[in-house]
Amino acid sequence: MYMIALILAGGKGLRLWPESRRSRPKQLCALLDERSMLEQTIDRLRSAGAERIVIITGDDLAGEIAGRLLHRADAVEILSEPVGRNTAAAVGLGLAYCQDVDEKEIIGVFPADHHVGDENAFIQCMRRAQAAAEQGYLVTVGIRPERAETAYGYIERSRYEFAAMPEVYPVESFREKPQRDEAARYLATGDYMWNAGIYMGQLGLLKQEFFRFLPDIHAAAQGGYDHCRKQYAALPDISLDHGVAERSRHMAVVPGDFGWCDLGSWNTLSEVLPADEAGNCSSGGDVLLLESENCVVRQRHRSVVLFGVQDLVVVENDDVVMVTRRQCAQDLRRVTDHLEQQERFDLL
């Protein structure tokens, strides 16, 4: 299949501090193998048939990303935002860059920092999504939920497939991150899926929906890439979800079941790493766990020994050892905020 893949790689991933830093955000970290998450995303999209891959990041990261991808320089193109303005503006920058592309070409939008466990299942899901996009739909991918998760947004699908497109459903609504009881209700109905932030549609349809719902971004994009960059700071700070997907009448969703994980915090490593009989999981080859339960360990250089503890996250890095309770792992932004106030920029 032919597709232009826009990879959104401008995030900071501060909940994965101290591994994720300003100069090495989450998408540039190698958490599960020798490749960074961005490199894994590129390889996965190549396998899925993307013939052009365009990475959209910030001016402050463009040089670092280009340096890390020197061995892939012929396979990727890098665009950069002068300031961060959320995902709708980033996609608008990508549309500006694609001014000379045929309007029937398929544009895919993908996060740079998600984990996929089953690449073959991912490829099959992308093929279904592209087939629906070629029929004139703006397609998103919904992940079949495994639990009543409160950290993700949800997509409500119709109970009925499109007649000519098996496993493709109309979208009924998008829902914000729910409370626990509401998430449990979503799970029980079978009609809700996690929102993975993946979108696919014809270039012409994307331009049309930006014109209808985000005219400022559309106007900037119509002027071309350089013009869009000059207007960028004044563009609306809004996500593609809120700005377009929740308002479009052309939305369709393809269910995905390919071992997806956001890897948004240290706790989520437990979803992709094997656990021992006490519920501990670790990344790194020199970890000793004695009489400890339900701990997550990231080890890189020095030996890590846990003895008689429970429910901890331990991250051993080049210059920091971070220890926190698992229930606090979502709040590491408070640590990085404090370090910034203390002007400990060497740790950021």
Side-chain angles (χ1 to χ4, degrees):
M1 68 180 183
Y2 181 83
M3 173 177 63
I4 299 174
L6 305 180
I7 301 178
L8 305 184
K12 302 303 181 185
L14 293 177
R15 286 180 295 170
L16 285 174
W17 183 86
E19 182 83 10
S20 182
R21 307 286 184 95
R22 287 177 173 174
S23 62
R24 188 188 62 216
K26 178 172 70 166
Q27 58 269 26
L28 296 182
C29 294
L31 296 174
L32 299 173
D33 63 26
E34 295 181 354
R35 297 172 299 161
S36 70
M37 298 179 75
L38 175 58
E39 289 177 291
Q40 291 181 43
T41 301
I42 292 169
D43 292 344
R44 186 162 59 243
L45 292 174
R46 280 289 181 206
S47 297
E51 295 191 14
R52 286 182 66 186
I53 292 180
V54 180
I55 297 169
I56 303 174
T57 189
D59 282 355
D60 57 338
L61 290 176
E64 178 71 16
I65 288 177
R68 288 173 178 252
L69 298 180
L70 277 177
H71 59 299
R72 303 168 185 264
D74 60 341
V76 299
E77 303 159 72
I78 300 174
L79 312 182
S80 66
E81 310 168 279
V83 294
R85 301 304 290 163
N86 216 319
T87 55
V91 172
L93 191 66
L95 299 183
Y97 187 70
C98 295
Q99 282 294 323
D100 297 330
V101 174
D102 188 291
E103 296 209 339
K104 290 189 177 180
E105 296 292 358
I106 302 300
I107 306 293
V109 179
F110 302 89
D113 52 8
H114 290 179
H115 171 73
V116 168
D118 187 339
E119 188 171 290
N120 288 330
F122 174 84
I123 291 170
Q124 294 304 314
C125 183
M126 293 307 103
R127 287 176 177 168
R128 289 195 299 274
Q130 176 160 358
E134 289 170 348
Q135 295 301 312
Y137 293 96
L138 181 54
V139 186
T140 188
V141 173
I143 305 301
R144 299 184 194 274
E146 301 171 353
R147 59 188 180 277
E149 178 60 61
T150 61
Y152 302 147
Y154 283 73
I155 301 165
E156 181 187 10
R157 67 167 176 84
S158 168
R159 296 190 175 185
Y160 304 100
E161 302 168 319
F162 286 104
M165 293 187 291
E167 283 292 286
V168 182
Y169 299 82
V171 172
E172 297 290 343
S173 68
F174 288 82
R175 302 296 177 93
E176 298 288 345
K177 298 174 183 178
Q179 297 296 318
R180 179 69 61 184
D181 57 346
E182 189 175 15
R185 182 175 64 81
Y186 290 170
L187 186 66
T189 67
D191 297 331
Y192 290 82
M193 293 168 285
W194 294 335
N195 186 352
I198 296 172
Y199 292 95
M200 202 178 293
Q202 292 180 348
L203 175 61
L205 176 59
L206 283 166
K207 288 182 177 180
Q208 170 191 303
E209 299 301 79
F210 271 76
F211 176 76
R212 290 183 63 197
F213 304 121
L214 297 171
D216 292 345
I217 297 177
H218 177 268
Q222 286 295 98
Y225 176 68
D226 291 335
H227 175 75
C228 190
R229 274 183 52 88
K230 291 176 182 177
Q231 301 296 316
Y232 210 77
L235 297 182
D237 186 347
I238 189 170
S239 69
L240 186 65
D241 299 298
H242 292 326
V244 174
E246 293 179 2
R247 304 157 78 179
S248 175
R249 296 180 180 178
H250 299 276
M251 291 302 306
V253 60
V254 173
D257 188 8
F258 42 77
W260 176 88
C261 179
D262 184 2
L263 286 182
S265 73
W266 289 113
N267 275 330
T268 54
L269 273 183
S270 64
E271 298 178 27
V272 297
L273 293 174
D276 65 18
E277 59 185 14
N280 303 301
C281 60
S282 62
S283 170
D286 196 4
V287 179
L288 179 61
L289 295 153
L290 295 174
E291 299 177 26
S292 297
E293 298 178 352
N294 197 35
C295 293
V296 176
V297 182
R298 164 66 166 164
Q299 180 269 334
R300 295 190 65 188
H301 305 292
R302 291 160 290 187
S303 303
V304 174
V305 178
L306 271 61
F307 174 50
V309 296
Q310 296 178 333
D311 302 316
L312 294 183
V313 173
V314 179
V315 180
E316 179 269 325
N317 205 279
D318 298 334
D319 53 353
V320 177
V321 177
M322 189 277 294
V323 181
T324 185
R325 290 176 297 171
R326 289 191 64 171
Q327 68 189 62
C328 299
Q330 291 278 3
D331 298 324
L332 284 180
R333 183 62 184 261
R334 291 168 58 187
V335 176
T336 58
D337 286 346
H338 179 75
L339 291 172
E340 188 159 9
Q341 293 169 8
Q342 299 295 313
E343 299 185 352
R344 289 301 309 272
F345 301 119
D346 57 312
L347 300 181
L348 294 170

